[in-house]
DNA sequence: AGGTCAAATGCAATGGTGTTGCATTACGGC
DNA sequence: GCCGTAATGCAACACCATTGCATTTGACCT
């Protein structure tokens, strides 16, 4: 099942309406290889001859984040679709510093070790976010 | 040697001038337990009866970042002093989601494993940034 | 100590980013 | 197809960040 179809199922199952703006945002995020900002999405939608208010885009992205369907990539200020939907507490991204292309991965062992180190430092960690910067296969 | 004194040495050694604004920003960052934003620093300086233009603060923080004396904490949009000055390619923070207090640590094994995973994914990683969110000792 | 000059700062203006309140629209259930 | 409510669009606003340029000042030299 595609990301858009899956997301629509999630929206319906949680009682959220499936609207044109939400479909448009999902579609823009699905196609993107690199993180897209709210204003990027605004431009993408306009290029298709349609229009979405930027406030709506912010609200849709906020909802999709809360449903763990998309992530905010802090180092880029943009959003990407969530590829690993069943790993809620630990997200790792490889972001190419040149083209911005992004790959998501997860690693249980890393996650466990980080929690242990945190515990030794008197800290109860709930969420790990790693953004590794480097060069992707193509940009090298 | 204190963080401020060390930073001043670095500035001098690289040919940068040691000015009042730079001292003020360094001092504000040194005292802070949690990340401080440029506008936070502006307020801190004002409380001491002095004044710095926010543009200057941005520029000073940019310089200090480029010298690896401070870090930007993405999840908080603020800056902290760098505690581990000799670990340039790998930075890990524990950030308390309640009070914002921050602890820096590093771990060579984690860093190595991350690089290996990245390599297997066709990615040459240069910089790891992990921000773990959770609760600090006091907030629990 | 004081003059010199480039680096650094302050100011004004501007553009981008993100939020709030409210009237209007349109989706989903009947 | 109608209805009620959730969702959107609009206007306005607040905050964040950057740029260009005139003025100031720290470091160097004598």
């Amino acid at each position: 099942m595609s990301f858009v179809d899956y997301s629509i199922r999630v929206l319906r199952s949680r009682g959220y309406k499936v609207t044109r703006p939400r479909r448009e945002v999902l579609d823009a995020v699905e196609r993107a290889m690199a993180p897209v900002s709210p204003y990027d999405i605004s431009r993408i939608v306009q290029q298709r001859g349609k229009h979405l208010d930027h406030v709506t885009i912010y609200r849709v992205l906020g909802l999709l984040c809360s449903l763990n369907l998309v992530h905010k990539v802090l180092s880029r200020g943009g959003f990407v679709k969530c590829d690993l939907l069943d790993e809620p507490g630990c997200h790792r991204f490889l972001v190419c510093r040149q083209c911005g292309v992004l790959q998501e991965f997860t690693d249980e062992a890393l996650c466990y070790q980080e929690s242990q180190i945190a515990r030794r430092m008197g800290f109860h960690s709930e969420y790990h976010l790693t953004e590794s910067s480097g060069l992707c296969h193509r940009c090298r």
Side-chain angles (χ1 to χ4, degrees), chain A:
Chain A
M1 194 185 338
S2 78
F3 165 72
V4 172
D5 290 339
Y6 175 79
S7 300
I8 286 173
R9 278 173 64 110
V10 171
L11 286 172
R12 285 233 162 81
S13 73
R14 303 287 198 98
Y16 294 104
K17 294 181 179 176
V18 177
T19 63
R20 185 183 70 83
R22 286 175 182 170
R23 286 177 191 276
E24 302 259 26
V25 170
L26 285 169
D27 195 63
V29 171
E30 169 159 65
R31 290 191 215 268
M33 286 296 100
V36 284
S37 74
Y39 285 88
D40 288 337
I41 293 174
S42 179
R43 279 172 225 118
I44 290 167
V45 171
Q46 265 187 337
Q47 281 169 7
R48 296 189 210 149
K50 296 168 187 175
H51 177 260
L52 286 186
D53 194 273
H54 77 276
V55 179
T56 301
I57 297 171
Y58 274 98
R59 288 194 276 226
V60 171
L61 287 170
L63 175 63
L64 298 179
C65 276
S66 75
L67 296 172
N68 260 294
L69 295 169
V70 306
H71 297 300
K72 182 164 192 178
V73 181
L74 298 173
S75 58
R76 292 258 158 182
F79 295 80
V80 289
K81 66 168 187 263
C82 183
D83 276 331
L84 307 165
L85 294 152
D86 48 357
E87 197 76 30
C90 176
H91 295 288
R92 299 175 191 282
F93 305 119
L94 302 172
V95 190
C96 178
R97 67 168 157 77
Q98 194 150 327
C99 70
V101 78
L102 182 138
Q103 281 185 275
E104 187 177 354
F105 72 99
T106 191
D107 190 289
E108 230 173 280
L110 283 180
C111 198
Y112 176 75
Q113 284 173 55
E114 278 173 0
S115 299
Q116 288 301 306
I117 293 169
R119 207 165 58 81
R120 263 183 261 133
M121 294 173 76
F123 206 90
H124 175 69
S125 75
E126 299 159 345
Y127 186 89
H128 302 294
L129 173 68
T130 296
E131 299 186 8
S132 294
S133 169
L135 283 177
C136 74
H137 180 66
R138 293 193 56 190
C139 287
R140 269 197 286 168

